[in-house]
Amino acid sequence: MDKKVIELLNDQINKEFYSAYLYLDIANFFNDLDLDGFANWYNIQAQEERDHALLFLRYLQSNGIKVELKAIDKPDKAFVNPIDPLYAGAEHERYVTDLIHNIYDAAYSVKDFRTMQFLDWFVKEQGEEEENADKLIAKFKLFGDDPKSLYLLDQELAARVYTAPSLTI
Ligand code: FEO
């Protein structure tokens, strides 16, 4: 496997764990506001990100590559209003999409078709993640200012359940 592709895939383990950390931080913020549904939604988001990290780890291991785990940064975003983390989440997903596309680009340039095929799942997943983040912002803008509607939205988000990723390695 190409050195640059390995390096990018290894770095992505860290980026996905950071994503989990960021979403846990957001869940923590909502927990403090007693918006348990929002906290649930972001806790599940964090679980999904941990899954993503492990998929990158297993993919490297399955190719006989020794993985190097690096330190995870402290989430440093300051949230004031409940909509702030929603914007931070959407912005972060776009950043992650760029990272995935960058790895894809590196794999493409060395004709690493196996890695491209592995990344296909993530390309699709990122599309869904961006859509979900944007929809949440749209809903919050519609209902967030009205306490009764915010309560109902919180109830809706409380219903989200964790499902394991459809990709296995
Ligand atoms: Fe693993 Fe939300 O990107």
Side-chain angles (χ1 to χ4, degrees), residues 90-155:
E91 187 192 356
H92 184 71
E93 286 306 329
R94 289 187 220 293
Y95 165 67
V96 174
T97 298
D98 285 347
L99 293 174
I100 300 286
H101 289 181
N102 192 39
I103 310 172
Y104 206 107
D105 195 40
Y108 178 78
S109 69
V110 293
K111 291 191 165 65
D112 181 350
F113 300 115
R114 197 188 312 152
T115 297
M116 286 159 67
Q117 196 190 39
F118 164 71
L119 290 172
D120 278 340
W121 185 87
F122 285 93
V123 171
K124 188 162 175 277
E125 171 76 5
Q126 282 310 120
E128 290 170 12
E129 299 263 84
E130 285 186 28
E131 188 187 2
N132 289 339
D134 289 343
K135 272 190 184 161
L136 200 51
I137 291 170
K139 281 184 186 175
F140 196 95
K141 280 184 176 168
L142 281 171
F143 307 120
D145 286 338
D146 169 45
K148 217 188 264 178
S149 303
L150 181 60
Y151 177 78
L152 289 174
L153 181 55
D154 192 57
Q155 296 281 93

Side-chain angles (χ1 to χ4, degrees), residues 16 19 23 45 48-49 52 93 96 122 125-126 129:
E16 299 289 346
S19 302
Y23 288 129
Q45 200 66 19
E48 287 193 356
E49 299 301 349
H52 296 170
E93 286 306 329
V96 174
F122 285 93
E125 171 76 5
Q126 282 310 120
E129 299 263 84

Side-chain angles (χ1 to χ4, degrees), residues 67-87:
V67 165
E68 186 192 348
L69 294 177
K70 297 177 185 172
I72 303 164
D73 288 340
K74 180 182 191 297
D76 60 352
K77 300 202 192 304
F79 309 124
V80 180
N81 299 307
I83 200 165
D84 295 344
L86 275 57
Y87 280 119

